[in-house]
Amino acid sequence: QVQLVESGGGLVQAGGSLRLSCAASGSIDSINAMGWYRQVPGKQREAVAFITNGGNTNYADSVKGRFTISRNDAKNTLWLQMDSLKPEDTGVYYCHAFSLQVGVGKLDYWGQGTQVTVSS
């Protein structure tokens, strides 16, 4: 089992910055990749960015060049640096961890979410 706890959300004006953090605990060695998703009321949860154990990153087109995902060497902390924020970045941001193990299969872990609100 993996536990994820996000922090760092809040209210910011358009053009500002926020840094989200996600603390991972438990079976960290079982994690293959981690990422951030966001959700707004009435819409599906969407992927924002992810990073693999090998350090490969991928971003949604809407955040490329503005958001940066990173992870510490111990792989127990994930960050999302969000710059040049826009009102459309508003939503609840969720930390996600993915595990694929032989004999266990695919497992998805989610944090409780942190609210990000960008005012115009």
Side-chain angles (χ1 to χ4, degrees):
Q1 291 291 321
V2 173
Q3 294 78 43
L4 304 171
V5 179
E6 302 99 334
S7 61
L11 173 64
V12 65
Q13 286 190 330
S17 298
L18 279 176
R19 191 187 199 202
L20 304 183
S21 298
C22 173
S25 60
S27 302
I28 297 172
D29 289 342
S30 69
I31 298 174
N32 298 102
M34 295 186 72
W36 292 94
Y37 285 70
R38 67 185 177 196
Q39 188 168 25
V40 297
K43 292 190 177 181
Q44 281 191 324
R45 193 172 295 187
E46 64 173 350
V48 175
F50 72 82
I51 184 168
T52 67
N53 281 355
N56 294 317
T57 59
N58 204 321
Y59 297 90
D61 287 342
S62 60
V63 307
K64 280 181 182 176
R66 300 188 298 120
F67 290 12
T68 304
I69 189 170
S70 59
R71 193 177 177 187
N72 67 346
D73 290 341
K75 299 179 182 177
N76 58 7
T77 306
L78 181 73
W79 296 282
L80 185 67
Q81 177 66 40
M82 305 186 293
D83 299 317
S84 303
L85 282 161
K86 304 176 181 180
E88 51 263 43
D89 294 319
T90 295
V92 178
Y93 283 69
Y94 295 90
C95 180
H96 171 259
F98 170 78
S99 171
L100 179 61
Q101 301 178 68
V102 174
V104 177
K106 174 188 171 185
L107 294 173
D108 291 285
Y109 301 97
W110 295 94
Q112 81 287 353
T114 185
Q115 177 70 44
V116 171
T117 303
V118 184
S119 63
S120 56

